[in-house]
Amino acid sequence: MKAKKKFNYKNLIDYVGTHPYKVSMDASTFCQLNCPLCPNGKYRLKDTVIGRGYLKFENFKKFLDQNPNIRIIELANYGEVFLNPDLRKILEYSNKKDVRLTIFGGANLNELDEKTAEAIIKYKLRGLSVSIDGATNKTYKIYRKGGNFNRVIKNIKLINKYKKIYHSEFPLLFWQFVIMGHNEHEIPLAKKMAHKLNMTFSPKLNWDSSFSPIKNLDFVKKQVGIENISAEDFEKENKLPYLLTCFQVWESPQINWNGELLGCCVNLKKNFGNVFEEGLEKCLNKEEYKKVKDFLLGKTNMNVLCSTCSAYKTILENPLKKRDLVQYIINAMKTNLSNSEIKKILDNFSFAFYQNIRIRIDTQKILGKIGIVVKRISPRLYFKLKKIKEQTEK
């Protein structure tokens, strides 16, 4: 019998970092809207490494066939997932391979035909976060330029119709509401509508508060239950950026629609090889990718790729701690995977450690200082941990 390695943090970080159970793969960088603060508005990203295109079914199938360890794929990053003409085939094949798909990165849901609506239920899309920054068309279209509020609500009702037909709880639906000055008065109505549509209301901070700044701070705090209601306030209070996505480099590496490994969702500069052509493991093991990880963990004091990121200064002063990274990975695994899947991943580590994480989850820590970050990256993870914490405190 093969002796299992004694567990240490480096073992788990290295293993998950090169054999991830989850990836983020942009299904489309096309978008029909022109939101003022979106980097992809008017296709401003077309001349960056992101480019314009959509994930083709042939490449998606090849990726799943070559990477049986992948259990979850997040499909949303810079574009609108529902503009991908191969989406129904992608949904069907992922269901056949028992791979869970999510769209927690956000969809504007202005386009949804009957067949696709049925497909996301039939083939079990696990989660869908819909970007709806208002409760009326007049307010909604101030930011979601080119969109139609009534059409979005109609499409949500279409999804709910098929959820009822198939007796399915999936996809879990989230109403993502970016809080701004022009829409804050509609928060109460949006919360009521979300409840009626069987959606979880998920408020989100505006990363650039100079655009439509909040007017009534006390009202907004009371309505959403968040003390820091601007990205600047969050950063002052928690000493870390609101849009901290660095954990993704290990836990859910970002892959562009064309197969190029980006590492994180804000990388617009370069890629680390093509996973469709070279293979995922080879790309994740490239020296340049390892250097990014070393920088994030404080092993080196400079990384050109990260230098334009809003988190760069923070990481320079306060690098990620291995214990926090491991805790994030463990909590994400507990939320996303079954115990048998977790055991399979940790099969090379000590049984005592597996037993420990199987019954333990540090909800207080992850819902505390980095709670809002977790909420943005994975709404499902955040709300599940919050529920566990509330049950524990009763």
Side-chain angles (χ1 to χ4, degrees), residues 331-354:
N331 286 335
M333 288 167 61
K334 284 285 296 183
T335 300
N336 294 317
L337 303 174
S338 66
N339 284 333
S340 61
E341 288 173 323
I342 294 174
K343 187 176 184 301
K344 185 175 181 181
I345 291 174
L346 300 176
D347 195 46
N348 290 323
F349 308 129
S350 70
F351 180 73
F353 175 73
Y354 165 70

PDB file of all heavy atoms in Angstrom, residues 331-354:
ATOM      1  N   ASN A 331     -12.780  25.763   2.267  1.00  0.00           N
ATOM      2  CA  ASN A 331     -14.171  26.206   2.348  1.00  0.00           C
ATOM      3  C   ASN A 331     -14.870  26.115   0.999  1.00  0.00           C
ATOM      4  O   ASN A 331     -16.048  25.753   0.914  1.00  0.00           O
ATOM      5  CB  ASN A 331     -14.235  27.633   2.888  1.00  0.00           C
ATOM      6  CG  ASN A 331     -13.961  27.718   4.373  1.00  0.00           C
ATOM      7  OD1 ASN A 331     -14.168  26.744   5.101  1.00  0.00           O
ATOM      8  ND2 ASN A 331     -13.479  28.842   4.842  1.00  0.00           N
ATOM      9  N   ALA A 332     -14.146  26.443  -0.073  1.00  0.00           N
ATOM     10  CA  ALA A 332     -14.720  26.329  -1.412  1.00  0.00           C
ATOM     11  C   ALA A 332     -15.004  24.867  -1.752  1.00  0.00           C
ATOM     12  O   ALA A 332     -16.042  24.529  -2.333  1.00  0.00           O
ATOM     13  CB  ALA A 332     -13.774  26.942  -2.444  1.00  0.00           C
ATOM     14  N   MET A 333     -14.087  23.981  -1.376  1.00  0.00           N
ATOM     15  CA  MET A 333     -14.285  22.553  -1.622  1.00  0.00           C
ATOM     16  C   MET A 333     -15.484  22.031  -0.852  1.00  0.00           C
ATOM     17  O   MET A 333     -16.298  21.253  -1.380  1.00  0.00           O
ATOM     18  CB  MET A 333     -13.016  21.775  -1.237  1.00  0.00           C
ATOM     19  CG  MET A 333     -11.859  21.972  -2.190  1.00  0.00           C
ATOM     20  SD  MET A 333     -10.268  21.370  -1.547  1.00  0.00           S
ATOM     21  CE  MET A 333     -10.599  19.649  -1.329  1.00  0.00           C
ATOM     22  N   LYS A 334     -15.619  22.458   0.404  1.00  0.00           N
ATOM     23  CA  LYS A 334     -16.737  22.006   1.227  1.00  0.00           C
ATOM     24  C   LYS A 334     -18.082  22.412   0.621  1.00  0.00           C
ATOM     25  O   LYS A 334     -19.073  21.689   0.731  1.00  0.00           O
ATOM     26  CB  LYS A 334     -16.619  22.594   2.636  1.00  0.00           C
ATOM     27  CG  LYS A 334     -15.573  21.929   3.504  1.00  0.00           C
ATOM     28  CD  LYS A 334     -16.030  20.568   3.994  1.00  0.00           C
ATOM     29  CE  LYS A 334     -17.229  20.662   4.896  1.00  0.00           C
ATOM     30  NZ  LYS A 334     -17.642  19.333   5.427  1.00  0.00           N
ATOM     31  N   THR A 335     -18.107  23.575  -0.006  1.00  0.00           N
ATOM     32  CA  THR A 335     -19.338  24.081  -0.604  1.00  0.00           C
ATOM     33  C   THR A 335     -19.636  23.426  -1.945  1.00  0.00           C
ATOM     34  O   THR A 335     -20.785  23.107  -2.253  1.00  0.00           O
ATOM     35  CB  THR A 335     -19.247  25.610  -0.790  1.00  0.00           C
ATOM     36  OG1 THR A 335     -19.053  26.217   0.480  1.00  0.00           O
ATOM     37  CG2 THR A 335     -20.527  26.162  -1.407  1.00  0.00           C
ATOM     38  N   ASN A 336     -18.602  23.220  -2.742  1.00  0.00           N
ATOM     39  CA  ASN A 336     -18.796  22.812  -4.135  1.00  0.00           C
ATOM     40  C   ASN A 336     -18.745  21.305  -4.385  1.00  0.00           C
ATOM     41  O   ASN A 336     -19.252  20.839  -5.408  1.00  0.00           O
ATOM     42  CB  ASN A 336     -17.730  23.479  -5.023  1.00  0.00           C
ATOM     43  CG  ASN A 336     -17.883  24.980  -5.079  1.00  0.00           C
ATOM     44  OD1 ASN A 336     -18.990  25.492  -5.208  1.00  0.00           O
ATOM     45  ND2 ASN A 336     -16.776  25.706  -4.985  1.00  0.00           N
ATOM     46  N   LEU A 337     -18.120  20.550  -3.485  1.00  0.00           N
ATOM     47  CA  LEU A 337     -17.870  19.132  -3.758  1.00  0.00           C
ATOM     48  C   LEU A 337     -18.489  18.224  -2.706  1.00  0.00           C
ATOM     49  O   LEU A 337     -18.721  18.635  -1.569  1.00  0.00           O
ATOM     50  CB  LEU A 337     -16.358  18.872  -3.820  1.00  0.00           C
ATOM     51  CG  LEU A 337     -15.552  19.673  -4.836  1.00  0.00           C
ATOM     52  CD1 LEU A 337     -14.069  19.400  -4.646  1.00  0.00           C
ATOM     53  CD2 LEU A 337     -15.983  19.359  -6.264  1.00  0.00           C
ATOM     54  N   SER A 338     -18.721  16.981  -3.091  1.00  0.00           N
ATOM     55  CA  SER A 338     -19.186  15.977  -2.136  1.00  0.00           C
ATOM     56  C   SER A 338     -17.992  15.501  -1.323  1.00  0.00           C
ATOM     57  O   SER A 338     -16.829  15.707  -1.696  1.00  0.00           O
ATOM     58  CB  SER A 338     -19.804  14.790  -2.880  1.00  0.00           C
ATOM     59  OG  SER A 338     -18.809  14.106  -3.640  1.00  0.00           O
ATOM     60  N   ASN A 339     -18.261  14.820  -0.198  1.00  0.00           N
ATOM     61  CA  ASN A 339     -17.174  14.304   0.630  1.00  0.00           C
ATOM     62  C   ASN A 339     -16.297  13.318  -0.128  1.00  0.00           C
ATOM     63  O   ASN A 339     -15.077  13.276   0.047  1.00  0.00           O
ATOM     64  CB  ASN A 339     -17.739  13.637   1.889  1.00  0.00           C
ATOM     65  CG  ASN A 339     -18.199  14.652   2.925  1.00  0.00           C
ATOM     66  OD1 ASN A 339     -17.683  15.766   2.958  1.00  0.00           O
ATOM     67  ND2 ASN A 339     -19.159  14.287   3.744  1.00  0.00           N
ATOM     68  N   SER A 340     -16.910  12.518  -0.986  1.00  0.00           N
ATOM     69  CA  SER A 340     -16.129  11.550  -1.757  1.00  0.00           C
ATOM     70  C   SER A 340     -15.209  12.254  -2.749  1.00  0.00           C
ATOM     71  O   SER A 340     -14.080  11.812  -2.996  1.00  0.00           O
ATOM     72  CB  SER A 340     -17.062  10.577  -2.495  1.00  0.00           C
ATOM     73  OG  SER A 340     -17.895  11.264  -3.404  1.00  0.00           O
ATOM     74  N   GLU A 341     -15.684  13.373  -3.331  1.00  0.00           N
ATOM     75  CA  GLU A 341     -14.848  14.124  -4.266  1.00  0.00           C
ATOM     76  C   GLU A 341     -13.698  14.803  -3.533  1.00  0.00           C
ATOM     77  O   GLU A 341     -12.565  14.851  -4.038  1.00  0.00           O
ATOM     78  CB  GLU A 341     -15.690  15.162  -5.007  1.00  0.00           C
ATOM     79  CG  GLU A 341     -16.638  14.554  -6.027  1.00  0.00           C
ATOM     80  CD  GLU A 341     -17.583  15.579  -6.638  1.00  0.00           C
ATOM     81  OE1 GLU A 341     -18.038  16.491  -5.907  1.00  0.00           O
ATOM     82  OE2 GLU A 341     -17.888  15.466  -7.830  1.00  0.00           O
ATOM     83  N   ILE A 342     -13.976  15.314  -2.337  1.00  0.00           N
ATOM     84  CA  ILE A 342     -12.912  15.918  -1.532  1.00  0.00           C
ATOM     85  C   ILE A 342     -11.864  14.871  -1.165  1.00  0.00           C
ATOM     86  O   ILE A 342     -10.659  15.107  -1.279  1.00  0.00           O
ATOM     87  CB  ILE A 342     -13.494  16.548  -0.247  1.00  0.00           C
ATOM     88  CG1 ILE A 342     -14.388  17.737  -0.602  1.00  0.00           C
ATOM     89  CG2 ILE A 342     -12.370  17.003   0.684  1.00  0.00           C
ATOM     90  CD1 ILE A 342     -15.108  18.331   0.594  1.00  0.00           C
ATOM     91  N   LYS A 343     -12.328  13.701  -0.753  1.00  0.00           N
ATOM     92  CA  LYS A 343     -11.401  12.632  -0.366  1.00  0.00           C
ATOM     93  C   LYS A 343     -10.509  12.217  -1.534  1.00  0.00           C
ATOM     94  O   LYS A 343      -9.323  11.936  -1.372  1.00  0.00           O
ATOM     95  CB  LYS A 343     -12.176  11.425   0.155  1.00  0.00           C
ATOM     96  CG  LYS A 343     -11.287  10.329   0.740  1.00  0.00           C
ATOM     97  CD  LYS A 343     -12.122   9.208   1.325  1.00  0.00           C
ATOM     98  CE  LYS A 343     -11.210   8.179   1.999  1.00  0.00           C
ATOM     99  NZ  LYS A 343     -10.227   7.590   1.087  1.00  0.00           N
ATOM    100  N   LYS A 344     -11.090  12.213  -2.732  1.00  0.00           N
ATOM    101  CA  LYS A 344     -10.310  11.839  -3.913  1.00  0.00           C
ATOM    102  C   LYS A 344      -9.194  12.840  -4.171  1.00  0.00           C
ATOM    103  O   LYS A 344      -8.064  12.471  -4.500  1.00  0.00           O
ATOM    104  CB  LYS A 344     -11.233  11.754  -5.128  1.00  0.00           C
ATOM    105  CG  LYS A 344     -10.542  11.245  -6.384  1.00  0.00           C
ATOM    106  CD  LYS A 344     -11.546  11.082  -7.519  1.00  0.00           C
ATOM    107  CE  LYS A 344     -10.856  10.551  -8.773  1.00  0.00           C
ATOM    108  NZ  LYS A 344     -11.821  10.402  -9.893  1.00  0.00           N
ATOM    109  N   ILE A 345      -9.510  14.133  -4.011  1.00  0.00           N
ATOM    110  CA  ILE A 345      -8.504  15.173  -4.207  1.00  0.00           C
ATOM    111  C   ILE A 345      -7.394  15.055  -3.168  1.00  0.00           C
ATOM    112  O   ILE A 345      -6.213  15.210  -3.465  1.00  0.00           O
ATOM    113  CB  ILE A 345      -9.160  16.571  -4.131  1.00  0.00           C
ATOM    114  CG1 ILE A 345     -10.060  16.799  -5.348  1.00  0.00           C
ATOM    115  CG2 ILE A 345      -8.087  17.675  -4.067  1.00  0.00           C
ATOM    116  CD1 ILE A 345     -10.853  18.082  -5.289  1.00  0.00           C
ATOM    117  N   LEU A 346      -7.787  14.756  -1.937  1.00  0.00           N
ATOM    118  CA  LEU A 346      -6.834  14.729  -0.835  1.00  0.00           C
ATOM    119  C   LEU A 346      -6.244  13.344  -0.591  1.00  0.00           C
ATOM    120  O   LEU A 346      -5.656  13.089   0.451  1.00  0.00           O
ATOM    121  CB  LEU A 346      -7.515  15.218   0.449  1.00  0.00           C
ATOM    122  CG  LEU A 346      -8.077  16.651   0.383  1.00  0.00           C
ATOM    123  CD1 LEU A 346      -8.817  16.985   1.660  1.00  0.00           C
ATOM    124  CD2 LEU A 346      -6.973  17.649   0.128  1.00  0.00           C
ATOM    125  N   ASP A 347      -6.395  12.452  -1.536  1.00  0.00           N
ATOM    126  CA  ASP A 347      -5.986  11.059  -1.358  1.00  0.00           C
ATOM    127  C   ASP A 347      -4.489  10.915  -1.080  1.00  0.00           C
ATOM    128  O   ASP A 347      -4.057   9.947  -0.468  1.00  0.00           O
ATOM    129  CB  ASP A 347      -6.357  10.242  -2.589  1.00  0.00           C
ATOM    130  CG  ASP A 347      -6.283   8.747  -2.329  1.00  0.00           C
ATOM    131  OD1 ASP A 347      -6.795   8.321  -1.272  1.00  0.00           O
ATOM    132  OD2 ASP A 347      -5.718   8.019  -3.154  1.00  0.00           O
ATOM    133  N   ASN A 348      -3.699  11.886  -1.522  1.00  0.00           N
ATOM    134  CA  ASN A 348      -2.255  11.801  -1.292  1.00  0.00           C
ATOM    135  C   ASN A 348      -1.832  12.400   0.037  1.00  0.00           C
ATOM    136  O   ASN A 348      -0.649  12.421   0.368  1.00  0.00           O
ATOM    137  CB  ASN A 348      -1.498  12.521  -2.415  1.00  0.00           C
ATOM    138  CG  ASN A 348      -1.596  11.776  -3.726  1.00  0.00           C
ATOM    139  OD1 ASN A 348      -1.580  10.556  -3.742  1.00  0.00           O
ATOM    140  ND2 ASN A 348      -1.730  12.497  -4.817  1.00  0.00           N
ATOM    141  N   PHE A 349      -2.803  12.917   0.791  1.00  0.00           N
ATOM    142  CA  PHE A 349      -2.478  13.555   2.053  1.00  0.00           C
ATOM    143  C   PHE A 349      -2.914  12.674   3.217  1.00  0.00           C
ATOM    144  O   PHE A 349      -3.550  11.650   3.045  1.00  0.00           O
ATOM    145  CB  PHE A 349      -3.143  14.931   2.142  1.00  0.00           C
ATOM    146  CG  PHE A 349      -2.846  15.791   0.952  1.00  0.00           C
ATOM    147  CD1 PHE A 349      -3.863  16.419   0.253  1.00  0.00           C
ATOM    148  CD2 PHE A 349      -1.546  15.946   0.499  1.00  0.00           C
ATOM    149  CE1 PHE A 349      -3.589  17.203  -0.846  1.00  0.00           C
ATOM    150  CE2 PHE A 349      -1.261  16.732  -0.605  1.00  0.00           C
ATOM    151  CZ  PHE A 349      -2.287  17.357  -1.272  1.00  0.00           C
ATOM    152  N   SER A 350      -2.615  13.119   4.417  1.00  0.00           N
ATOM    153  CA  SER A 350      -2.905  12.304   5.584  1.00  0.00           C
ATOM    154  C   SER A 350      -4.399  12.147   5.814  1.00  0.00           C
ATOM    155  O   SER A 350      -5.173  13.075   5.610  1.00  0.00           O
ATOM    156  CB  SER A 350      -2.274  12.939   6.830  1.00  0.00           C
ATOM    157  OG  SER A 350      -2.952  14.125   7.173  1.00  0.00           O
ATOM    158  N   PHE A 351      -4.810  10.958   6.248  1.00  0.00           N
ATOM    159  CA  PHE A 351      -6.231  10.686   6.506  1.00  0.00           C
ATOM    160  C   PHE A 351      -6.743  11.572   7.640  1.00  0.00           C
ATOM    161  O   PHE A 351      -7.880  12.024   7.631  1.00  0.00           O
ATOM    162  CB  PHE A 351      -6.423   9.218   6.874  1.00  0.00           C
ATOM    163  CG  PHE A 351      -7.851   8.853   7.152  1.00  0.00           C
ATOM    164  CD1 PHE A 351      -8.764   8.759   6.095  1.00  0.00           C
ATOM    165  CD2 PHE A 351      -8.306   8.634   8.436  1.00  0.00           C
ATOM    166  CE1 PHE A 351     -10.081   8.434   6.336  1.00  0.00           C
ATOM    167  CE2 PHE A 351      -9.623   8.306   8.680  1.00  0.00           C
ATOM    168  CZ  PHE A 351     -10.519   8.203   7.628  1.00  0.00           C
ATOM    169  N   ALA A 352      -5.883  11.841   8.620  1.00  0.00           N
ATOM    170  CA  ALA A 352      -6.284  12.679   9.758  1.00  0.00           C
ATOM    171  C   ALA A 352      -6.697  14.068   9.290  1.00  0.00           C
ATOM    172  O   ALA A 352      -7.662  14.648   9.781  1.00  0.00           O
ATOM    173  CB  ALA A 352      -5.138  12.786  10.762  1.00  0.00           C
ATOM    174  N   PHE A 353      -5.954  14.605   8.311  1.00  0.00           N
ATOM    175  CA  PHE A 353      -6.303  15.933   7.803  1.00  0.00           C
ATOM    176  C   PHE A 353      -7.643  15.891   7.077  1.00  0.00           C
ATOM    177  O   PHE A 353      -8.490  16.765   7.240  1.00  0.00           O
ATOM    178  CB  PHE A 353      -5.213  16.439   6.857  1.00  0.00           C
ATOM    179  CG  PHE A 353      -5.566  17.738   6.204  1.00  0.00           C
ATOM    180  CD1 PHE A 353      -5.555  18.919   6.927  1.00  0.00           C
ATOM    181  CD2 PHE A 353      -5.930  17.774   4.870  1.00  0.00           C
ATOM    182  CE1 PHE A 353      -5.902  20.122   6.335  1.00  0.00           C
ATOM    183  CE2 PHE A 353      -6.286  18.973   4.271  1.00  0.00           C
ATOM    184  CZ  PHE A 353      -6.257  20.151   5.007  1.00  0.00           C
ATOM    185  N   TYR A 354      -7.861  14.846   6.289  1.00  0.00           N
ATOM    186  CA  TYR A 354      -9.146  14.729   5.581  1.00  0.00           C
ATOM    187  C   TYR A 354     -10.301  14.667   6.570  1.00  0.00           C
ATOM    188  O   TYR A 354     -11.320  15.339   6.407  1.00  0.00           O
ATOM    189  CB  TYR A 354      -9.161  13.481   4.687  1.00  0.00           C
ATOM    190  CG  TYR A 354     -10.557  13.139   4.233  1.00  0.00           C
ATOM    191  CD1 TYR A 354     -11.214  13.955   3.320  1.00  0.00           C
ATOM    192  CD2 TYR A 354     -11.242  12.046   4.775  1.00  0.00           C
ATOM    193  CE1 TYR A 354     -12.509  13.677   2.937  1.00  0.00           C
ATOM    194  CE2 TYR A 354     -12.535  11.767   4.398  1.00  0.00           C
ATOM    195  CZ  TYR A 354     -13.164  12.575   3.463  1.00  0.00           C
ATOM    196  OH  TYR A 354     -14.452  12.306   3.096  1.00  0.00           O
TER     197      TYR A 354
END
